[in-house]
Amino acid sequence: MLGLLETGSGFWSAIIWIVLVLVIGSIVIYIRNKGEDSYKKNTEQDKPFISGNPEESKESSHLSANHIYWGFTEALKGYYNPLVKMHTGNINDYSSWIIMLTVIILIVIGVSG
Amino acid sequence: MKEMSRIVKTVTNFVYGFIIIFGFYIIAHGHLTPGGGFQGGAVVGSAFALLLVSYGSLNSNKFLKKDIFSLFENFGLTLFIVLGFSGLGITFFYNFLANSGSWFGDAAVIGINPGDMNTGGVIPLMNIAVGLEVLSAFGVILLTMARGAEFTKKKENS
Amino acid sequence: MNLSNHIPILIIAIPLLAAFLVPLIGRINKKATGILTTLALSVSLIFTIALAVKILTVGPQVYVFGATSPSLTLPSGLKFPIRIMLQIDAMSIFMGLITAVISFFGAIYSLSFIKKYDGVDKYYSLLLLLTVGMFGMEFTGDIFNFFVFLEIASIASVALISFRGVDYGEPAEAGFKYMMVSSISALMVLFAVGIFYGQYDLLNFAAIASMIKYSQLDKIALGLLIPVLAMKAGAVPMHMWTPDAYSEAPAPITMILVAASQASLYALFRIVFSLYNISLNALTVGWIIIIFGLLSMFIGVTMAIVQKDIKRLMAYHAVSQTGYMLLGVGVGLAVLANPVALQKYGITAMEGGIFHIMNHAMYKGLLFLTAGALFFRTGTRDLNKMGGLAHYMKYTTIFFIIGAAAIAGLPPFNGFASKLLIYESVYRFNPLLSIIAMVVSILTLASFVKVFHSAFLGPKLPQFKEVKEVPRSMVFAMAVLSCIIIFFGLFPDLIVKNLVHPAVMSLIEQLQYTGTVLGGM
Amino acid sequence: MIGNLPYIAVAIFIGLGIYTLMFKKNLIKIAIGVCLIENGVNLFLITLGYKKGAIAPIYTQAPSGQAMVLPTPQALTLTSIVIGIATTALILSVAMMIYKHYGTLDTDQVRRLRG
């Protein structure tokens, strides 16, 4: 069949996948369309709940890239600090890495025989 | 770069023509003796460097024109690759002139020989193309760098 | 004159001729330079496709420069392959197709992108030279010629990276760093060439491969070649030039640089598989490549998460995706000496790795082009300053979504197909490697969600009121790459069966490679 | 032993070049380091084709009956010199551009791109 990729332990077919997604998606949409009885459009229910605080203007509510995954990087500080420090941007370090790696690989290949 | 003393300029006037002639000699004899397009072009380029150093970059702009150099550079490169293309009847870079009796077409003597200029087929032509390219490329590089150095110096002083 | 015999050289020579003609034409008409470049690259693309059809149906092709036979018969009767030649098998043409497609669309995208800069003719001339260098690296059958083309490609790419260096400092800095590392690597390659020549008096890949003994000197040559070619491909921990160079080059050049780094990757595979093959200690060298792959995948993606510059972020992803290719092919190499394991999962792993090369060139090219489109309209690459651009640039947003989904390995795009091949086969080699690969894939998705959120989503920002969709030629280039990605995603089996599998087999079977040259002698 | 002297010179050239690349802080000195490595590699290639007591491989008016050194490594070296010139010219021009914008050639300060 066209689009059937053998992977050694199974197969992958994008077309079958799309058909499945369409079938499951239509079921989900059908269930969702049955809807919640107590929901009413254009009432208080539509508005975001922010504990009674005044809503911010749209322009100032954009989350800039610096703040995304702040927790992730904060938690992995011990991993990130040395790693970022390693990328010095110094051309001497660039060449040192290459020379060091070459020496290491020469030793490994030489020892392994 | 400022121009140098009168002694240097006089010696340059005397010597640069000989350097250029020597460079062209090396280009023309590339298929017989050590040398060829690149080496000869580099020798001619060194004559330009001499002019540039002794007359200063501002003065030498009068007789070394970057525009003409860059035209000759492209012309040399195009000539080289067209010579490569013209061998396509057999294969790319095929020496179709060798032993044909026409330009540079005399048969070369295998072994020790007195050195006949009229041999080598397309090789001398390619040497000339490469020589043209290299000498003008050196000219372009030298003039561009001299102009860049001028700019940096101005910035330093200001 | 039979044109079809000369296709291999015409693929290289026509861009070369155009590269020298472009500055001449540029004296008369600046606009014609771009059109001439596109024309030359389209001819090259058509010839590459024709050659691919020929190779996949007839077999590997050999093209000799300057004579009809690759070898010279000495008066003593000894035959010697001395001539420079092109030797093109399924793997070479696979890489050649990538180069042809990427450079063609890079040229089309440049038509509008580069208009506002000075020195357009030199830009196109260098772009063509870079393409020539890449084609040469992939097609050549001569190890010294490989060095020459490597240098042509790296000199052209340095000049292109520092193209904006007249006005800004950073591109010049990036160019300097790239030039430094690439000249070190090229000199090490030259040293290895010297070692081969001193031992075997040969420069021909196939002829060396038939005589190689894996002596002490061969080990030194291998130890010099592996790290420098891995470095040119951007493997950790020698990847530091990648984010610098990729982020500062103009966007179409960044896309072509990705393909250029893959040409080095091809050279690494060619040397390990076709030159040494079974004679080397496959397990050790295989594990070296696997470890390069693992480090590249993990460190590349974790560094990408903390980046604020959009092209720098994508450059770290390029490092990370290179890790997948190294992992897949490394597993294939590690089991090379073991025919059972090779049949069971080694070939599949290599198929995954090689297929990923093509997929990566397409979707990473597309992503860099979208980043270039953002830069073209907003004038910034800083993600903190962007926002709400989906309101203004609808097509670019769609293309970005396609590219991001493909790189993150979401079905049904092409990245998923090749990553699945790698996961399933590597799992049978060592489950831990496969799990790390999956984690990296998730982190990739996470960091592209970040880019999508901060650049495209959000309210309309006042400073971007003037922003509108990019010109038509840029949209065209991105649209065609998106179509290729979707096509590869829907019918991965067509590509794997017809292009990738022959490429893998031509790598594994050394005799097939040497036989095309030495058999004809 | 005396025949191995060129190889020792090669090692010294490349070692000095690598030292310059790793520890010198000036961009021009780094460019010189690359040139040193290049010269070392070129010397290596030339030495490979050398034969003791042989003459240069030129047939024009050569003395008869003498052995000649192998010309192929010389051709390779020539090509690599040509490439080396292009590389050096490019490195120096880029270094000039860096100096124009940064006002320094110190590698510790030429690192706006990092992290």
Side-chain angles (χ1 to χ4, degrees):
Chain A
M1 199 187 108
L2 198 66
L4 198 76
L5 179 68
E6 299 278 345
T7 58
S9 6
F11 70 92
W12 157 249
S13 166
I15 293 161
I16 296 177
W17 185 84
I18 289 174
V19 169
L20 276 178
V21 164
L22 286 180
V23 170
I24 296 171
S26 52
I27 294 170
V28 168
I29 288 172
Y30 173 74
I31 293 172
R32 193 180 181 281
N33 277 350
K34 294 199 107 178
E36 170 74 34
D37 293 338
S38 59
Y39 173 71
K40 287 180 188 65
K41 263 189 179 169
N42 299 328
T43 58
E44 281 283 296
Q45 286 177 337
D46 273 0
K47 294 209 169 139
F49 179 71
I50 34 180
S51 309
N53 295 320
E55 198 183 331
E56 279 186 59
S57 78
K58 287 240 165 85
E59 271 74 22
S60 63
S61 69
H62 180 60
L63 194 63
S64 70
N66 249 356
H67 308 293
I68 303 174
Y69 302 134
W70 173 82
F72 181 81
T73 44
E74 190 68 16
L76 293 176
K77 233 179 185 173
Y79 170 75
Y80 270 116
N81 281 349
L83 193 66
V84 174
K85 210 173 273 173
M86 208 178 80
H87 294 77
T88 50
N90 191 329
I91 182 72
N92 297 120
D93 296 348
Y94 289 30
S95 18
S96 307
W97 275 111
I98 299 170
I99 308 288
M100 269 157 53
L101 251 291
T102 313
V103 171
I104 291 170
I105 287 178
L106 278 174
I107 292 170
V108 169
I109 289 179
V111 166
S112 72
Chain B
M1 269 179 277
K2 273 199 286 192
E3 63 180 314
M4 294 177 82
S5 68
R6 184 173 296 243
I7 302 171
V8 177
K9 279 197 282 187
T10 314
V11 174
T12 305
N13 282 344
F14 183 66
V15 121
Y16 86 90
F18 290 105
I19 299 179
I20 290 178
I21 299 278
F22 179 60
F24 280 115
Y25 162 80
I26 291 181
I27 295 175
H29 288 73
H31 57 299
L32 298 173
T33 53
F38 177 78
Q39 291 86 333
V43 170
V44 179
S46 72
F48 297 151
L50 185 62
L51 282 173
L52 196 68
V53 169
S54 53
Y55 278 91
S57 55
L58 285 178
N59 290 332
S60 48
N61 273 342
K62 285 173 202 153
F63 43 85
L64 298 177
K65 292 269 188 290
K66 205 172 118 186
D67 209 37
I68 295 173
F69 277 142
S70 120
L71 181 69
F72 270 104
E73 184 187 2
N74 294 319
F75 176 71
L77 285 168
T78 316
L79 182 64
F80 180 77
I81 199 78
V82 166
L83 282 171
F85 265 104
S86 50
L88 264 190
I90 305 196
T91 58
F92 198 70
F93 277 134
Y94 185 75
N95 197 340
F96 62 98
L97 281 178
N99 305 335
S100 68
S102 59
W103 278 21
F104 297 107
D106 286 1
V109 184
I110 306 289
I112 292 156
N113 60 56
D116 182 6
M117 265 291 278
N118 200 21
T119 51
V122 292
I123 295 171
L125 295 177
M126 282 181 175
N127 270 331
I128 290 167
V130 172
L132 208 56
E133 191 274 328
V134 171
L135 74 91
S136 36
F138 267 102
V140 171
I141 292 172
L142 287 168
L143 287 173
T144 316
M145 283 186 133
R147 211 184 57 183
E150 208 72 35
F151 186 89
T152 351
K153 206 174 251 173
K154 248 181 238 159
K155 204 178 176 189
E156 246 171 25
N157 293 337
S158 63
Chain C
M1 178 169 116
N2 187 356
L3 192 69
S4 70
N5 289 340
H6 297 296
I7 285 180
I9 186 61
L10 288 179
I11 292 171
I12 298 178
I14 285 177
L16 195 60
L17 179 65
F20 300 151
L21 280 179
V22 158
L24 285 179
I25 301 276
R27 291 171 170 273
I28 304 160
N29 187 348
K30 288 273 176 212
K31 263 187 190 160
T33 53
I35 294 164
L36 180 67
T37 308
T38 322
L39 213 64
L41 288 175
S42 66
V43 171
S44 214
L45 175 62
I46 292 166
F47 279 158
T48 315
I49 293 169
L51 185 64
V53 172
K54 194 173 176 188
I55 284 174
L56 295 173
T57 50
V58 180
Q61 300 284 317
V62 173
Y63 187 88
V64 186
F65 285 87
T68 41
S69 158
S71 56
L72 183 75
T73 312
L74 297 178
S76 59
L78 187 70
K79 269 193 169 183
F80 226 49
I82 59 159
R83 304 217 189 267
I84 296 174
M85 64 167 98
L86 302 178
Q87 188 183 1
I88 310 166
D89 62 356
M91 182 67 198
S92 315
I93 200 66
F94 176 80
M95 298 301 299
L97 278 173
I98 295 173
T99 305
V101 170
I102 290 293
S103 53
F104 176 62
F105 289 114
I108 286 187
Y109 188 89
S110 305
L111 288 179
S112 330
F113 186 83
I114 215 69
K115 223 181 238 167
K116 58 184 172 186
Y117 297 106
D118 291 339
V120 177
D121 52 340
K122 290 177 188 63
Y123 172 88
Y124 283 119
S125 183
L126 288 165
L127 194 155
L128 285 161
L129 277 179
L130 176 55
T131 314
V132 168
M134 281 148 63
F135 273 131
M137 278 163 78
E138 287 148 5
F139 287 175
T140 185
D142 183 287
I143 193 163
F144 184 75
N145 217 16
F146 167 75
F147 160 77
V148 173
F149 281 118
L150 181 77
E151 281 282 35
I152 289 177
S154 55
I155 288 173
S157 45
V158 169
L160 284 168
I161 289 166
S162 40
F163 184 65
R164 297 186 304 129
V166 181
D167 306 320
Y168 304 96
E170 287 87 351
E173 185 192 336
F176 190 89
K177 287 172 175 172
Y178 182 50
M179 185 78 248
M180 218 34 88
V181 291
S182 62
S183 48
I184 296 171
S185 70
L187 289 171
M188 286 194 184
V189 170
L190 186 59
F191 200 85
V193 172
I195 291 175
F196 284 133
Y197 191 79
Q199 255 187 304
Y200 304 113
D201 286 345
L202 289 168
L203 289 169
N204 191 294
F205 264 125
I208 297 175
S210 65
M211 291 174 73
I212 207 149
K213 295 189 290 282
Y214 204 47
S215 62
Q216 209 64 36
L217 281 171
D218 287 337
K219 280 182 194 170
I220 294 174
L222 184 68
L224 290 173
L225 285 169
I226 288 180
V228 296
L229 291 173
M231 187 277 288
K232 291 279 283 183
V236 173
M238 302 167 291
H239 64 291
M240 278 90 157
W241 64 269
T242 334
D244 299 351
Y246 285 9
S247 61
E248 291 304 330
I253 297 308
T254 315
M255 175 166 95
I256 301 174
L257 280 179
V258 172
S261 76
Q262 289 173 344
S264 306
L265 201 63
Y266 156 81
L268 176 63
F269 298 158
R270 178 60 85 204
I271 279 163
V272 171
F273 280 98
S274 295
L275 202 57
Y276 286 88
N277 202 280
I278 207 78
S279 71
L280 53 65
N281 190 337
L283 199 61
T284 317
V285 180
W287 268 102
I288 288 173
I289 291 178
I290 291 172
I291 288 169
F292 268 138
L294 277 186
L295 285 174
S296 307
M297 279 197 299
F298 198 73
I299 293 181
V301 80
T302 44
M303 281 303 290
I305 286 181
V306 295
Q307 295 303 316
K308 292 164 199 79
D309 181 326
I310 179 165
K311 279 179 85 180
R312 218 175 155 75
L313 184 146
M314 288 178 181
Y316 273 112
H317 278 297
V319 172
S320 158
Q321 299 298 312
T322 308
Y324 280 98
M325 305 159 202
L326 288 170
L327 175 66
V329 180
V331 167
L333 180 62
V335 296
L336 189 64
N338 180 353
V340 182
L342 188 67
Q343 280 302 327
K344 230 166 143 192
Y345 55 81
I347 290 178
T348 320
M350 282 184 67
E351 276 173 4
I354 303 282
F355 188 29
H356 204 69
I357 294 179
M358 189 169 232
N359 292 340
H360 178 239
M362 300 303 159
Y363 59 63
K364 188 41 68 69
L366 177 64
L367 284 171
F368 275 124
L369 291 190
T370 55
L374 296 183
F375 178 71
F376 186 73
R377 282 301 184 210
T378 63
T380 179
R381 295 196 311 262
D382 194 342
L383 282 171
N384 285 326
K385 291 182 186 149
M386 292 186 195
L389 289 170
H391 295 287
Y392 307 105
M393 306 170 82
K394 296 206 166 50
Y395 291 120
T396 310
T397 314
I398 294 168
F399 299 142
F400 179 83
I401 293 173
I402 292 173
I407 195 174
L410 293 186
F413 295 103
N414 60 357
F416 179 75
S418 51
K419 282 185 180 176
L420 187 72
L421 284 174
I422 295 174
Y423 297 151
E424 294 206 346
S425 51
V426 171
Y427 188 84
R428 301 168 90 178
F429 177 71
N430 190 334
L432 189 65
L433 303 180
S434 184
I435 291 164
I436 294 174
M438 285 184 212
V439 171
V440 168
S441 194
I442 294 165
L443 291 174
T444 309
L445 181 62
S447 87
F448 272 95
V449 168
K450 167 183 165 175
V451 177
F452 186 61
H453 177 90
S454 48
F456 291 100
L457 296 186
K460 291 184 181 179
L461 293 183
Q463 64 265 38
F464 296 136
K465 257 181 200 141
E466 305 288 301
V467 170
K468 55 180 192 287
E469 189 53 73
V470 287
R472 218 173 289 149
S473 75
M474 290 161 79
V475 172
F476 173 73
M478 292 193 279
V480 177
L481 282 178
S482 312
C483 290
I484 294 176
I485 289 172
I486 291 171
F487 178 76
F488 282 9
L490 290 182
F491 306 106
D493 58 321
L494 282 181
I495 311 297
V496 170
K497 215 175 285 167
N498 295 325
L499 275 174
V500 178
H501 188 71
V504 169
M505 292 325 280
S506 72
L507 277 183
I508 290 176
E509 284 165 11
Q510 191 189 20
L511 279 179
Q512 193 190 330
Y513 185 76
T514 55
T516 35
V517 174
L518 303 177
M521 275 174 59
Chain D
M1 181 59 213
I2 202 83
N4 286 334
L5 266 182
Y7 293 106
I8 295 167
V10 168
I12 291 170
F13 263 122
I14 294 180
L16 277 176
I18 287 173
Y19 171 80
T20 316
L21 282 176
M22 285 169 84
F23 299 110
K24 287 290 173 193
K25 294 288 181 192
N26 189 312
L27 291 186
I28 303 290
K29 283 183 186 165
I30 290 176
I32 294 172
V34 170
C35 287
L36 278 176
I37 299 184
E38 195 187 296
N39 291 342
V41 177
N42 287 343
L43 185 60
F44 176 65
L45 284 177
I46 282 285
T47 317
L48 287 176
Y50 182 69
K51 194 175 174 185
K52 209 174 169 190
I55 59 165
I58 310 156
Y59 271 128
T60 307
Q61 284 160 358
S64 61
Q66 258 203 304
M68 287 178 173
V69 298
L70 193 62
T72 320
Q74 303 191 358
L76 303 189
T77 313
L78 201 54
T79 317
S80 117
I81 289 172
V82 174
I83 292 169
I85 294 255
T87 319
T88 315
L90 197 58
I91 289 177
L92 291 177
S93 337
V94 176
M96 276 168 69
M97 288 207 281
I98 291 176
Y99 187 73
K100 193 171 121 190
H101 294 290
Y102 287 65
T104 176
L105 286 173
D106 190 349
T107 51
D108 284 333
Q109 284 161 40
V110 185
R111 50 193 199 105
R112 285 188 205 160
L113 301 167
R114 60 170 179 231

